[in-house]
Amino acid sequence: MTEIRTLTVLGTGVLGSQIAYQAAFHGFAVTAYDIDDQALEKARSRFAHLAGIYQAQQVAGAEGGKAEAALQNLHLTADLGDAVADADLVIEAVPELLELKRDLFRRLSDLAPAKTIFATNSSTLLPSDLKDSTGRPDRFLAIHYANNIWVQNIAEVMGTSETDPTVFDAVVEFAGNSGLEPIEIKKEKAGYVLNSLLVPLLNAAASLLLQGVASPETIDKTWRIATGAPSGPFQIYDVVGLTTAYNIAASSTDVGSLAFAKYLKDNYIDKGKLGISTGEGFYTY
Ligand SMILES: NC(=O)c1ccc[n+]([C@@H]2O[C@H](COP(=O)([O-])OP(=O)(O)OC[C@H]3O[C@@H](n4cnc5c(N)ncnc54)[C@H](O)[C@@H]3O)[C@@H](O)[C@H]2O)c1
């Protein structure tokens, strides 16, 4: 079976930095690529910040200086050819723009060795949307992480009908070896498993609020007490961030979603209440 030892992550933003650091923490040799020196400077501080979080939150294994030592496993570069020259696996975590991702995979198909597996971490695109630009659809699939990877530690692995099953298995094994719970998805599905469950819950909560059926506090309390879940949907909105919630709702054609977008804008976004990140959203922190 293909064994994954070296990882390259493209894009070192919110998710890319977490994917790279998590693998480095678990002993993988990781190369992190971003577009220029300024982006790499930001990446350095993101990695240092993550080391602090792993240490402070006592992520399993973080004792004895391991969180700091993980930084030694991270090599940063703004040269794409250099970044992928010896990669067993490349995961892209660049902005959610179809043509940008396609263009990146086209360039990679020339630069990466034949052994390299390509993966996307896209939340909303299907791997089928990208596979033809990779030049190697049999060695291409999605591995989708959740934000705050060290706590919400799942990796949803989803191939296309053309993904080689041995490649799928290798990526599942890699996910397990990098401290994540692999979620094997047998068939392509927009939203994977997590968002296929979560989005309808969040939409239903928004609808109850807009119809005046119950307050956010009551809706959340109902969900928490009756299901044993630690958070209700409006607490989840605050974690995701109300700007993201707004962008998703505003880009929909559904009347209810558009009404929720307006509600979020008027009552929260325009007042600078963006969720936990600003100290106030549906709740005050
Ligand atoms: N943020 C989340 O909660 C989350 C969760 C799961 C998956 N994702 C997915 O991860 C991907 C990235 O999202 P994010 O929130 O980390 O974005 P982000 O904007 O925080 O980071 C994007 C990074 O990509 C870099 N970049 C831009 N153009 C590039 C290029 N051509 N080549 C290489 N790097 C480039 C940027 O400099 C930046 O560092 C998206 O596909 C998104 O759907 C995000």
Side-chain angles (χ1 to χ4, degrees), residues 7 9 14-24 91 93 121 145 149:
L7 169 70
V9 180
V14 175
L15 251 283
S17 59
Q18 294 181 26
I19 296 167
Y21 182 81
Q22 173 77 12
I91 302 175
N121 174 49
Y145 296 79
I149 202 171

Side-chain angles (χ1 to χ4, degrees), residues 9-19 33-36 39-40 42-43 46 80 92-97 100-101 103-104 107 120-125 143-148 192 195 240 244:
V9 180
L10 310 178
T12 57
V14 175
L15 251 283
S17 59
Q18 294 181 26
I19 296 167
Y33 163 84
D34 213 307
I35 41 175
D36 54 26
L40 293 181
K42 268 197 209 155
R46 282 183 193 273
L80 190 58
E92 71 78 13
V94 305
E96 193 71 339
L97 299 167
L100 187 145
K101 288 186 194 275
D103 179 55
L104 188 58
R107 285 160 62 205
T120 177
N121 174 49
S122 172
S123 293
T124 62
L125 300 168
I143 178 166
H144 184 241
Y145 296 79
N147 195 12
N148 294 350
Y192 305 82
N195 284 337
V240 171
T244 301

